[in-house]
Amino acid sequence: MNTTQLSSKSFFQSDLWLFYIYLIGTFQCIFWSCNSFLIFIELYDFPSIDKYRIQKHKKKLRFQPDLVKLMIKETIRHQISFFVLTPLLYYLLNYFGYLDIHGPRPSWLTIVYQLMLFILSEDAIFFWTHYFLHTPWLYKTIHKKHHVYTQPTGVVSVLSDPWESLQNQIAIWFMPVLLKEKHIFTLCLWIAIRVYQTVNAHSGYNFPYISTQYWVPWIMSGALGHDFHHQHGKWNYGSFFNVWDRLMNTHRLSINTKQY
């Protein structure tokens, strides 16, 4: 019995357990705090907020019960897979380098430098994989499941075919895995930034102040660009930035004109 108690105590103090708690805690905190707000304003009408809805010509999702049921089912599936598969990431991060769980926080210069690497890498990988997912066979076989939601909301950001989910995770974790030295504090910041960005992009609202496109619309299309992508099933393939879309002439915020 003493051996069992010691083993249990040892596991719950292990780096794997701490990584699991930190990463899942960060994700769930950002994901559900943002989506709780979006669900609340979906259930109740606030004219001062509803004026920022992008697809005002459509009914709110609460009037589309079949779609809501699908979202609930797919969200539960995502949550289960997230809890089950997250430990694998710990081993990948340590296989290609060293993940510091207990050491002091890196300097802010190091943190900002690594976060910029993560963002630029994710943005490039996401654009090109997303672009190819819109080729006819891949779209029909894989990506169409995500485009069922032509009127997106925050939870839609994680609802997709398993192969597409893998593609998204590769884009997110490619650079962190390759870095030789990384700290859990930096990775939690990265998760917080990425989750907020993708939930905002799928929010269905063009909010001022709290949306990236409000401050830097010339390089970030944010919710406007991605909502347009879901409405029409094409254009605006980027993640954080619209630079790749501009280079590939796929940047649109209007059906009739290119946006420069």
Side-chain angles (χ1 to χ4, degrees):
M1 185 170 180
N2 290 336
T3 304
T4 304
Q5 288 176 340
L6 286 173
S7 297
S8 298
K9 186 177 179 181
S10 177
F11 171 74
F12 289 112
Q13 291 179 338
S14 67
D15 285 358
L16 172 59
W17 175 250
L18 291 174
F19 169 80
Y20 188 78
I21 294 299
Y22 288 145
L23 208 71
I24 285 184
T26 302
F27 177 91
Q28 300 289 12
C29 181
I30 302 299
F31 184 81
W32 285 114
S33 59
C34 293
N35 279 301
S36 293
F37 171 71
L38 292 172
I39 291 169
F40 181 72
I41 62 176
E42 179 63 41
L43 293 173
Y44 302 97
D45 297 323
F46 300 94
S48 59
I49 295 178
D50 289 343
K51 67 182 180 181
Y52 297 114
R53 283 185 68 213
I54 298 172
Q55 298 189 44
K56 297 185 184 71
H57 59 288
K58 293 183 179 179
K59 293 179 181 179
K60 282 192 169 185
L61 291 169
R62 71 173 186 263
F63 300 112
Q64 304 176 52
D66 290 341
L67 203 56
V68 171
K69 287 178 184 177
L70 179 62
M71 287 181 184
I72 292 172
K73 184 183 76 172
E74 292 297 318
T75 300
I76 292 171
R77 184 176 297 173
H78 167 267
Q79 291 285 288
I80 292 171
S81 64
F82 181 64
F83 278 99
V84 170
L85 296 175
T86 294
L88 295 177
L89 182 60
Y90 171 81
Y91 294 105
L92 275 174
L93 288 164
N94 278 293
Y95 182 81
F96 289 94
Y98 171 67
L99 173 60
D100 189 353
I101 304 286
H102 302 281
R105 171 183 60 79
S107 69
W108 282 108
L109 182 63
T110 299
I111 291 170
V112 171
Y113 168 71
Q114 290 187 348
L115 287 175
M116 288 306 301
L117 286 179
F118 298 166
I119 290 170
L120 292 173
S121 171
E122 191 275 344
D123 189 67
I125 295 171
F126 183 91
F127 174 86
W128 286 106
T129 53
H130 189 194
Y131 185 86
F132 285 115
L133 281 173
H134 276 264
T135 54
W137 187 84
L138 288 175
Y139 183 85
K140 182 180 178 181
T141 309
I142 297 174
H143 193 45
K144 190 175 181 180
K145 186 174 181 179
H146 184 64
H147 274 275
V148 167
Y149 312 102
T150 57
Q151 187 181 351
T153 189
V155 295
V156 169
S157 60
V158 296
L159 308 185
S160 58
D161 181 270
W163 287 107
E164 182 176 351
S165 295
L166 177 62
Q167 168 257 316
N168 288 332
Q169 293 308 307
I170 290 172
I172 293 168
W173 293 108
F174 177 79
M175 186 57 68
V177 164
L178 286 189
L179 275 184
K180 291 296 182 184
E181 295 184 3
K182 42 259 179 174
H183 196 280
I184 190 64
F185 182 82
T186 310
L187 296 187
C188 286
L189 277 180
W190 168 226
I191 287 298
I193 291 168
R194 181 65 178 88
V195 172
Y196 179 83
Q197 180 269 335
T198 190
V199 170
N200 173 62
H202 289 86
S203 68
Y205 288 81
N206 183 29
F207 288 123
Y209 307 113
I210 62 171
S211 299
T212 53
Q213 70 270 9
Y214 178 81
W215 298 103
V216 282
W218 56 92
I219 58 169
M220 289 183 167
S221 301
L224 279 176
H226 202 69
D227 199 278
F228 190 80
H229 174 79
H230 271 265
Q231 285 188 66
H232 302 285
K234 55 184 176 179
W235 301 311
N236 303 327
Y237 301 108
S239 174
F240 280 89
F241 305 110
N242 57 41
V243 176
W244 289 106
D245 279 302
R246 291 181 186 277
L247 289 172
M248 296 298 293
N249 289 322
T250 55
H251 178 54
R252 302 284 193 283
L253 297 180
S254 165
I255 195 69
N256 296 318
T257 59
K258 298 177 185 178
Q259 306 295 314
Y260 295 103

